[in-house]
Amino acid sequence: MLEISLLSLFLAGLLGGVHCLGMCGGIVTAISLGKSQAAPLWHLLCYNVGRIGSYVCAGALLGGLAQWGLNQAAYQPLQTALFIAANLLLILLGLYLAGLSAAITRIEHLGRPLWRRLQPLTRRYLPVRTARQALLAGAIWGWLPCGLVYTASIAALASGGAGQGALVMLAFGLGTLPNLLLMGLFASRLQQLKQQRPVRLVAGLAVMALGGWHLWQLLTSTG
């Protein structure tokens, strides 16, 4: 079974934090602008629980779909193709983070029709005043078109089962958590940091290295 390890997906989420800050930074900053420090922190946690919960649900659905629709004999070639696709997306994402290519943004356009239907729902919960609003806003925001999420989703599809797919997306979601929590607490400083060329370059090269390493493992195992 070809799988992108849970640790690799956690690292992809962590290293892709520069992208996360750009995609989710606006709503995270808005949640953080509360009148007290305790409430915004609790709201940030609830927002991220909702967001990661959506990732886990998507992973379970994708993994279950693969398990239900394909028998093991026919699934192996497709799983290999999905494994390659997920790692090629990691490399494209790394190029984007490093400021070398914006090709990954074209893939994000695929999810925009669904997002156009979901985004108006977030207005019901903004500005966030309660933990419930933060949780529901996060659950909706988890479906935001994102190349990083799509990469993890393909890995979930390749996992071959609902439970495995849910774990894949959970590992990825937990990797994105530190960046977004810090974004809520130190919004202005992190916004400045993510714009610095060395930071983007190092993060991008690290994500590219993950994808390249997995593809190298595939080549050496079949060579």
Side-chain angles (χ1 to χ4, degrees):
M1 295 285 288
L2 288 170
E3 295 178 356
I4 301 178
S5 71
L6 298 181
L7 177 59
S8 292
L9 284 161
F10 175 85
L11 290 174
L14 184 64
L15 293 169
V18 175
H19 190 56
C20 292
L21 297 181
M23 299 294 285
C24 298
I27 187 171
V28 170
T29 302
I31 291 173
S32 304
L33 297 177
K35 294 182 179 179
S36 69
Q37 291 299 319
L41 179 58
W42 176 238
H43 292 167
L44 279 173
L45 289 171
C46 290
Y47 163 79
N48 282 289
V49 167
R51 180 179 60 84
I52 295 173
S54 288
Y55 294 165
V56 171
C57 289
L61 287 171
L62 291 169
L65 177 65
Q67 185 179 36
W68 171 78
L70 299 165
N71 59 48
Q72 186 61 34
Y75 182 58
Q76 186 64 39
L78 179 58
Q79 188 187 37
T80 302
L82 291 170
F83 178 86
I84 293 172
N87 285 289
L88 288 176
L89 280 179
L90 267 183
I91 293 172
L92 286 176
L93 180 67
L95 288 170
Y96 172 75
L97 293 177
L100 301 175
S101 171
I104 192 74
T105 59
R106 299 176 185 174
I107 299 172
E108 292 176 350
H109 293 169
L110 297 175
R112 288 190 176 179
L114 174 62
W115 181 240
R116 278 196 293 267
R117 294 179 178 273
L118 291 177
Q119 188 178 21
L121 297 178
T122 61
R123 296 171 189 163
R124 301 180 182 179
Y125 311 113
L126 296 176
V128 171
R129 295 186 177 88
T130 67
R132 176 180 174 275
Q133 288 177 322
L135 183 69
L136 293 173
I140 297 171
W141 217 263
W143 300 96
L144 176 72
C146 171
L148 187 58
V149 176
Y150 290 169
T151 300
S153 297
I154 293 178
L157 187 60
S159 68
Q164 297 96 312
L167 280 175
V168 162
M169 296 303 287
L170 177 61
F172 162 75
L174 291 176
T176 66
L177 184 59
N179 288 293
L180 291 178
L181 284 179
L182 288 173
M183 175 66 187
L185 297 174
F186 307 103
S188 60
R189 293 182 182 179
L190 283 182
Q191 283 287 8
Q192 294 173 2
L193 183 64
K194 80 181 183 70
Q195 296 299 333
Q196 295 183 13
R197 174 70 176 172
V199 173
R200 293 182 61 88
L201 186 61
V202 170
L205 291 177
V207 171
M208 289 171 62
L210 278 176
W213 178 62
H214 288 136
L215 292 176
W216 174 252
Q217 283 187 315
L218 175 62
L219 287 174
T220 54
S221 65
T222 57

